[in-house]
Coordinates of all heavy atoms in Angstrom, one line a residue:
D862 N 94.8 122.8 100.6 CA 93.7 123.8 101.0 C 92.6 123.5 100.0 O 92.3 122.4 99.6 CB 94.2 125.2 101.0 CG 94.9 125.6 99.6 OD1 94.7 124.9 98.6 OD2 95.6 126.6 99.6
G863 N 91.9 124.6 99.5 CA 90.8 124.4 98.6 C 91.2 124.0 97.2 O 90.3 123.6 96.4
L864 N 92.5 124.1 96.9 CA 93.0 123.5 95.7 C 93.4 122.1 96.0 O 94.5 121.8 96.5 CB 94.2 124.3 95.2 CG 94.9 123.8 93.9 CD1 93.9 124.0 92.7 CD2 96.2 124.6 93.6
T865 N 92.6 121.1 95.6 CA 92.8 119.7 96.0 C 93.6 118.9 95.0 O 93.9 117.7 95.3 CB 91.4 119.0 96.3 OG1 90.6 119.1 95.0 CG2 90.6 119.7 97.4
A866 N 93.9 119.5 93.9 CA 94.6 118.7 92.9 C 96.0 118.4 93.3 O 96.6 117.4 92.9 CB 94.7 119.5 91.6
Y867 N 96.6 119.2 94.2 CA 98.0 118.9 94.7 C 97.9 118.7 96.2 O 97.3 119.5 96.9 CB 98.9 120.0 94.3 CG 99.0 120.2 92.9 CD1 98.8 121.5 92.3 CD2 99.4 119.2 92.0 CE1 98.8 121.7 90.9 CE2 99.5 119.4 90.6 CZ 99.2 120.6 90.1 OH 99.3 120.8 88.8
R868 N 98.6 117.7 96.7 CA 98.6 117.4 98.1 C 100.0 117.0 98.6 O 100.8 116.5 97.9 CB 97.6 116.2 98.4 CG 96.2 116.5 98.0 CD 95.4 115.2 98.0 NE 94.0 115.4 97.4 CZ 92.9 115.6 98.1 NH1 93.0 115.6 99.5 NH2 91.8 115.7 97.6
E869 N 100.2 117.3 99.9 CA 101.5 117.0 100.5 C 101.3 116.9 102.0 O 100.4 117.6 102.5 CB 102.5 118.1 100.2 CG 103.9 117.7 100.6 CD 104.5 116.5 99.8 OE1 104.9 116.6 98.7 OE2 104.5 115.4 100.5
R870 N 102.0 116.0 102.7 CA 102.0 115.9 104.1 C 103.2 116.5 104.7 O 104.3 116.2 104.3 CB 101.8 114.5 104.5 CG 100.5 113.9 104.1 CD 100.3 112.5 104.7 NE 99.1 111.8 104.1 CZ 98.7 110.6 104.4 NH1 99.5 109.8 105.2 NH2 97.7 110.0 103.8
P871 N 103.0 117.3 105.7 CA 104.2 117.9 106.4 C 104.8 117.0 107.4 O 104.3 115.9 107.7 CB 103.5 119.1 107.2 CG 102.2 118.6 107.5 CD 101.7 117.7 106.4
L872 N 106.0 117.3 107.9 CA 106.6 116.5 109.0 C 105.7 116.6 110.2 O 105.6 115.6 110.9 CB 108.0 117.1 109.3 CG 109.0 117.0 108.2 CD1 110.3 117.6 108.7 CD2 109.2 115.5 107.7
A873 N 105.1 117.7 110.5 CA 104.3 117.9 111.7 C 103.3 119.1 111.5 O 103.6 120.0 110.7 CB 105.2 118.1 112.9
V874 N 102.3 119.1 112.3 CA 101.3 120.2 112.3 C 101.3 120.8 113.7 O 101.0 120.0 114.7 CB 99.9 119.7 111.9 CG1 98.9 120.9 112.0 CG2 99.9 119.2 110.5
A875 N 101.6 122.0 113.9 CA 101.6 122.7 115.2 C 100.3 123.5 115.3 O 99.9 124.2 114.3 CB 102.8 123.6 115.3
L876 N 99.7 123.4 116.4 CA 98.4 124.1 116.7 C 98.6 125.0 117.9 O 98.0 124.7 119.0 CB 97.2 123.2 116.8 CG 96.9 122.3 115.6 CD1 97.4 120.9 115.7 CD2 95.4 122.3 115.3
P877 N 99.3 126.0 117.9 CA 99.6 126.9 119.1 C 98.3 127.6 119.5 O 97.4 127.8 118.7 CB 100.6 127.9 118.6 CG 100.4 128.0 117.1 CD 100.0 126.6 116.7
E878 N 98.3 127.9 120.8 CA 97.1 128.6 121.4 C 97.4 130.0 121.9 O 96.5 130.7 122.3 CB 96.6 127.7 122.6 CG 96.1 126.3 122.1 CD 95.9 125.3 123.2 OE1 96.6 125.5 124.3 OE2 95.2 124.4 123.1
T879 N 98.7 130.3 122.0 CA 99.1 131.6 122.5 C 100.2 132.2 121.5 O 100.8 131.4 120.8 CB 99.7 131.6 123.9 OG1 100.9 130.8 123.8 CG2 98.7 130.9 124.8
E880 N 100.4 133.5 121.6 CA 101.4 134.1 120.7 C 102.8 133.6 121.2 O 103.7 133.5 120.4 CB 101.3 135.6 120.8 CG 100.1 136.2 120.1 CD 100.2 137.7 119.8 OE1 101.0 138.4 120.6 OE2 99.5 138.2 118.9
A881 N 102.9 133.4 122.5 CA 104.2 132.9 123.0 C 104.6 131.6 122.3 O 105.7 131.3 122.0 CB 104.2 132.8 124.5
Q882 N 103.5 130.7 122.2 CA 103.8 129.4 121.5 C 104.1 129.6 120.0 O 104.9 128.9 119.5 CB 102.5 128.5 121.7 CG 102.3 128.1 123.1 CD 101.1 127.3 123.3 OE1 100.3 127.0 122.4 NE2 100.8 126.8 124.6
V883 N 103.4 130.5 119.4 CA 103.7 130.8 117.9 C 105.2 131.2 117.8 O 105.9 130.7 117.0 CB 102.8 131.9 117.4 CG1 103.3 132.3 116.0 CG2 101.4 131.5 117.3
A884 N 105.7 132.1 118.7 CA 107.0 132.6 118.6 C 108.0 131.4 118.9 O 109.0 131.3 118.2 CB 107.3 133.7 119.7
A885 N 107.6 130.6 119.9 CA 108.5 129.4 120.2 C 108.6 128.4 119.1 O 109.7 127.9 118.8 CB 108.0 128.7 121.5

């Protein structure tokens, strides 16, 4: 985020568009 001194990559990035997708 705005603290750039530490970085890590996740296994995946999810970008849901509905609350149903967030829950899933």
